[in-house]
């Protein structure tokens, strides 16, 4: 979501005559778009601001702006810690950025705007994909009403708000006209899409409508809340051709006690039923998830229940974190905090188990031909290209730059932990097409 917000910011500032640069020293404006989902991310943002402060000392005309969740969280108070900032803008104020910067340029004033906007103007800002890009993000909603006990998002991104379907469809059509063939729909809880619009269309209907747009071959979405995952949505994986066979479905814990303390709104059994349903409609679906270890009150038995759930599901990948206390969330007041050492040790064991599972799942693709949408040159070799399968696995294979943006049939030769190695599939004269 932050990447998408940054793309929107770039689009807005291009209209003001700005261009992006890799040379920070020569910039007129430096804007830091921040995350504060974990304490570590917030610390990183402050240390980056400190580095830019030195540039501002050398160039007093440089405009320094900070946006995103850290700016939302700190508001005016951020100036006590970073008094050199010119603009502080919150998660609902992106649309006002050109005006904030003009105000600074005109009279050198400092601007702090972090009020939640009554309407979702920021939702309708359209990022412009780079020339030749085949993939794009599309925001479909913002905010969250769930208030999971550990999560700062509802406090910083505001209440859930869905973007009108006609605006979303118009954006996807425009993207398709510009050659985009894969869209990733974004929201804190996309499965709840439509609730603030009176329930219709819901998320499955939106997916079906996007699936009918000419030129869109792949639809992805993130993130899903297990409680709101309906059978109709599961059915979309079987019925909508463009749906990619991958879902990110955060479980957070395998213990009912901890899920209850987290206020997640589902049990371990209900989560497993959802996985069963997804695999019923889409047997090859790849499933990824999030887990927090060391949530307050997590005993060794609770932790073992999480490992057991992982064994049952065999996730394709897992984003796992140690619980990190966030100011203003319910869990701050919880008793039985888990010592840091125990959290680290649990995280290590859990990640070792996940590595086994990721490799196991990746190896299942060895010897098979997968359709890869080529994103560009591989980071590891000039002679290789890289892309993704529909099930969201990264595939590297020998090929030239002319393949960028094409769809290639690739024979998977070797599975690694973070990617697959392949070669253009034999038989077909040209294993790649531009469609
Ligand atoms: S559903 Fe996700 S974004 Fe919303 S409160 Fe829970 S963890 Fe945070």
């Amino acid at each position: 979501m932050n990447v998408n917000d940054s793309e929107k910011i770039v689009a807005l500032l291009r209209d003001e005559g700005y261009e992006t640069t890799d040379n920070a020293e020569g910039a007129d404006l430096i804007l830091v778009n921040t995350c504060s989902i974990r304490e570590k991310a917030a610390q990183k943002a402050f240390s980056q601001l400190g580095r830019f402060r030195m540039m501002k000392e050398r160039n007093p005309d440089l405009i320094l702006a900070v946006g995103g969740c850290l700016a939302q969280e700190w508001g005016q108070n951020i100036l006590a810690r970073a008094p050199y900032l010119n603009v502080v803008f919150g998660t609902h104020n992106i649309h006002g950025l050109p005006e904030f910067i003009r105000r600074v340029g005109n009279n050198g004033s400092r601007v702090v705007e972090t009020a939640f906007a009554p309407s979702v103007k920021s939702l309708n800002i359209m990022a412009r994909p780079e020339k030749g890009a085949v993939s794009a993000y599309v925001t479909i909603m913002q905010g969250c009403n769930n208030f999971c006990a550990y999560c700062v998002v509802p406090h910083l991104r505001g209440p859930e708000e869905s973007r009108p379907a006609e605006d979303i469809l118009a954006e996807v059509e425009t993207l398709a006209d510009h050659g985009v063939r894969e869209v990733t729909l974004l929201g804190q809880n996309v499965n709840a899409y439509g609730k603030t619009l009176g329930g219709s269309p819901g998320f499955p209907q939106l997916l079906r409508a996007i699936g009918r747009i000419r030129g869109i071959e792949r639809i992805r979405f993130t993130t899903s809340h297990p409680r709101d995952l309906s059978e109709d949505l599961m059915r979309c994986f079987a019925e909508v051709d463009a749906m990619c066979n991958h879902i990110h479905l955060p479980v957070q814990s395998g213990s009912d006690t901890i899920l209850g303390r987290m206020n997640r709104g589902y049990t371990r059994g209900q989560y497993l039923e959802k996985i069963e349903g997804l695999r019923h409609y889409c047997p090859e679906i790849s499933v990824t998830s999030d887990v927090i270890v060391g949530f307050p009150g997590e005993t060794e038995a609770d932790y073992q229940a999480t490992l057991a759930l992982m064994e049952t599901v065999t996730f394709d990948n897992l984003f796992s974190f140690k619980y990190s206390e966030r100011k203003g969330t319910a869990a701050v007041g919880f008793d039985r905090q888990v010592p840091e050492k125990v959290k680290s040790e649990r995280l290590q064991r859990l990640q070792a188990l996940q590595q086994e599972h990721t490799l196991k799942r990746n190896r299942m693709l060895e010897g098979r031909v997968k359709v890869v949408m080529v994103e560009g040159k591989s980071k590891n070799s000039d002679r290789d290209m890289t892309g993704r399968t529909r099930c969201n696995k990264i595939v590297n294979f020998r090929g030239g730059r002319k393949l960028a943006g094409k769809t290639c049939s690739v024979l998977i030769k070797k599975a690694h932990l973070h990617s697959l190695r392949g070669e253009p599939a034999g038989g077909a004269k040209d294993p790649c097409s531009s469609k």
Side-chain angles (χ1 to χ4, degrees):
M1 289 193 114
N2 271 27
V3 170
N4 184 230
D5 283 346
S6 297
E7 288 170 349
K8 290 177 179 177
I9 289 168
V10 169
L12 280 176
L13 295 183
R14 281 220 162 104
D15 290 346
E16 295 293 302
Y18 283 93
E19 279 302 327
T20 53
T21 174
D22 291 331
N23 172 21
E25 284 287 350
D28 304 301
L29 162 71
I30 296 180
L31 194 148
V32 183
N33 189 18
T34 60
C35 170
S36 68
I37 192 82
R38 304 186 71 243
E39 181 59 28
K40 206 169 156 189
Q43 284 165 5
K44 270 192 192 169
F46 274 118
S47 76
Q48 190 157 36
L49 287 174
R51 277 201 299 280
F52 293 137
R53 170 204 193 153
M54 288 186 259
M55 288 184 201
K56 196 166 166 65
E57 280 168 3
R58 290 192 289 277
N59 172 14
D61 292 335
L62 172 66
I63 298 176
L64 262 186
V66 62
C69 286
L70 192 75
Q72 187 67 48
E73 182 184 352
W74 283 63
Q76 189 79 30
N77 296 335
I78 204 168
L79 294 176
R81 188 155 169 186
Y84 46 87
L85 290 171
N86 301 100
V87 180
V88 180
F89 63 102
T91 53
H92 283 214
N93 306 95
I94 294 176
H95 60 281
L97 197 51
E99 189 223 314
F100 306 154
I101 290 171
R102 276 199 294 271
R103 263 154 60 188
V104 174
N106 290 345
N107 52 22
S109 63
R110 198 184 300 285
V111 179
V112 180
E113 294 281 356
T114 55
F116 281 151
S119 68
V120 288
K121 284 188 198 151
S122 290
L123 274 178
N124 269 340
I125 304 167
M126 191 174 155
R128 273 170 233 144
E130 296 290 323
K131 197 165 172 274
V134 282
S135 304
Y137 293 116
V138 176
T139 302
I140 64 164
M141 61 192 299
Q142 70 174 5
C144 182
N145 292 345
N146 285 326
F147 291 94
C148 299
Y150 52 83
C151 183
V152 78
V153 166
H155 308 272
L156 301 182
R157 293 258 173 188
E160 189 177 290
E161 196 156 9
S162 297
R163 186 179 171 198
E166 56 270 26
D167 294 343
I168 298 170
L169 295 174
E171 179 168 342
V172 177
E173 276 166 16
T174 307
L175 290 167
D177 287 346
H178 285 83
V180 165
R181 309 205 309 278
E182 175 182 85
V183 286
T184 302
L185 310 178
L186 296 176
Q188 239 73 48
N189 175 15
V190 290
N191 300 350
Y193 175 80
K195 280 187 187 171
T196 60
L197 302 170
S200 182
F203 190 48
Q205 289 156 284
L206 181 71
L207 287 170
R208 288 189 166 94
I210 294 174
R212 287 192 287 272
I213 294 177
R214 221 180 135 97
I216 296 299
E217 293 167 37
R218 291 186 173 195
I219 305 172
R220 303 186 187 279
F221 55 83
T222 196
T223 286
S224 297
H225 192 293
R227 189 197 49 215
D228 297 316
L229 176 60
S230 66
E231 182 145 5
D232 196 18
L233 174 53
M234 295 178 194
R235 227 178 276 123
C236 286
F237 283 98
E239 294 172 0
V240 179
D241 288 344
M243 286 276 285
C244 286
N245 54 345
H246 166 237
I247 189 165
H248 185 70
L249 196 63
V251 63
Q252 307 299 5
S253 171
S255 152
D256 281 343
T257 313
I258 298 300
L259 287 172
R261 276 171 79 89
M262 286 177 166
N263 190 30
R264 287 293 287 171
Y266 54 85
T267 62
R268 166 201 182 86
Q270 286 165 338
Y271 182 87
L272 290 173
E273 273 171 29
K274 304 275 176 171
I275 299 291
E276 217 172 283
L278 285 163
R279 288 184 169 154
H280 167 76
Y281 286 104
C282 183
E284 295 220 336
I285 195 163
S286 120
V287 184
T288 55
S289 193
D290 297 335
V291 164
I292 295 171
V293 296
F295 187 75
E298 185 189 71
T299 62
E300 179 62 23
D302 293 317
Y303 169 68
Q304 287 297 334
T306 301
L307 298 185
L309 179 132
M310 287 168 61
E311 294 282 12
T312 306
V313 178
T314 323
F315 293 111
D316 287 77
N317 211 344
L318 192 69
F319 299 90
S320 48
F321 307 92
K322 290 188 277 184
Y323 167 70
S324 161
E325 190 175 278
R326 305 308 291 127
K327 209 172 80 196
T329 59
V332 170
F334 284 7
D335 57 355
R336 295 188 288 140
Q337 296 283 331
V338 176
E340 207 49 38
K341 197 167 155 243
V342 175
K343 284 193 222 170
S344 300
E345 188 265 333
R346 285 182 185 167
L347 185 65
Q348 225 172 27
R349 277 153 60 201
L350 180 136
Q351 289 181 339
L353 177 66
Q354 182 53 43
Q355 288 194 357
E356 281 175 32
H357 289 172
T358 301
L359 254 185
K360 183 175 167 186
R361 294 283 301 173
N362 287 355
R363 283 193 180 129
M364 287 165 71
L365 299 178
E366 283 180 352
R368 297 185 57 188
V369 173
K370 302 304 282 179
V371 176
V372 174
M373 193 174 272
V374 184
E375 291 169 4
K377 211 161 60 65
S378 157
K379 275 188 274 180
N380 303 326
S381 161
D382 273 352
R383 295 197 294 162
D384 288 346
M385 297 300 282
T386 191
R388 276 170 206 270
T389 61
R390 294 181 78 88
C391 60
N392 209 29
K393 308 269 184 192
I394 294 172
V395 179
N396 296 308
F397 65 103
R398 191 60 36 99
R401 281 164 190 261
K402 66 177 189 319
L403 296 183
K406 290 197 172 185
T407 306
C408 297
S409 296
V410 179
L411 173 66
I412 307 302
K413 299 291 284 183
K414 178 87 185 137
H416 301 287
L417 199 52
H418 303 295
S419 64
L420 305 169
R421 179 83 210 164
E423 62 182 36
K429 263 199 194 134
D430 182 3
C432 300
S433 71
S434 53
K435 224 196 94 66

